[in-house]
Amino acid sequence: MTDEFTPPIKERTTEELLKIAGAPEKWNPKAVRLATNELANRKVEPKKIETAKYLSKKRGKVEKNIKAKESYHVCDFILNPFPTLFEIIFSWELKKDGFPRKAKQQKYFRITIGIIILICVVYSYLV
């Protein structure tokens, strides 16, 4: 059976194989199966594989928690005004992507931007 992965599963280090076997939802099922088989061939303890799975889940929770707390700052508007405004105006799935705080701020920014535009339009007609 040929290995279609680059680099081939058999040539990867044990640590790389543990990362693959530890996070099966992030990898191709065939790669996970081959990595698990290769770990068994290398006589790696099943406890190490379970530890890799635990650490992968823990890492995922930490990353999710970091995303959940991320928000817009004044520095974003000063240092990167155009990308920040572009994200506020055109990004529709911040909440789905795991950024609930940014999504809430985005809603208020959009309302504020809409009010400013409305005031400018009304002012231009009055003057």
Side-chain angles (χ1 to χ4, degrees):
M1 182 162 103
T2 61
D3 197 348
E4 69 225 32
F5 300 103
T6 307
I9 297 292
K10 290 185 178 213
E11 293 178 12
R12 295 179 188 234
T13 65
T14 303
E15 292 302 317
E16 290 173 325
L17 295 174
L18 285 170
K19 284 181 182 179
I20 295 170
E25 65 280 351
K26 295 181 181 179
W27 292 88
N28 180 328
K30 186 175 180 183
V32 174
R33 191 175 68 249
L34 290 172
T36 306
N37 290 342
E38 184 61 25
L39 286 169
N41 290 342
R42 294 183 188 184
K43 296 181 176 45
V44 174
E45 298 175 19
K47 182 129 176 120
K48 279 193 172 185
I49 297 171
E50 292 303 316
T51 302
K53 288 180 181 179
Y54 172 78
L55 291 174
S56 175
K57 285 180 185 176
K58 201 68 155 167
R59 197 175 303 115
K61 287 180 184 178
V62 168
E63 289 171 1
K64 188 176 181 180
N65 197 12
I66 289 171
K67 278 185 171 182
K69 291 182 179 180
E70 193 170 322
S71 65
Y72 294 109
H73 299 283
V74 175
C75 295
D76 294 334
F77 294 100
I78 294 171
L79 300 175
N80 295 321
F82 297 114
T84 304
L85 284 173
F86 187 82
E87 182 177 324
I88 288 172
I89 294 170
F90 296 110
S91 179
W92 294 101
E93 298 190 357
L94 285 174
K95 195 168 190 174
K96 283 184 186 177
D97 292 339
F99 298 99
R101 195 170 188 183
K102 270 189 164 184
K104 188 175 181 180
Q105 288 178 322
Q106 180 188 43
K107 182 172 70 172
Y108 293 120
F109 282 131
R110 284 182 176 166
I111 291 170
T112 305
I113 290 169
I115 291 171
I116 290 170
I117 290 172
L118 184 64
I119 289 171
C120 290
V121 169
V122 169
Y123 181 76
S124 69
Y125 279 118
L126 295 176
V127 174

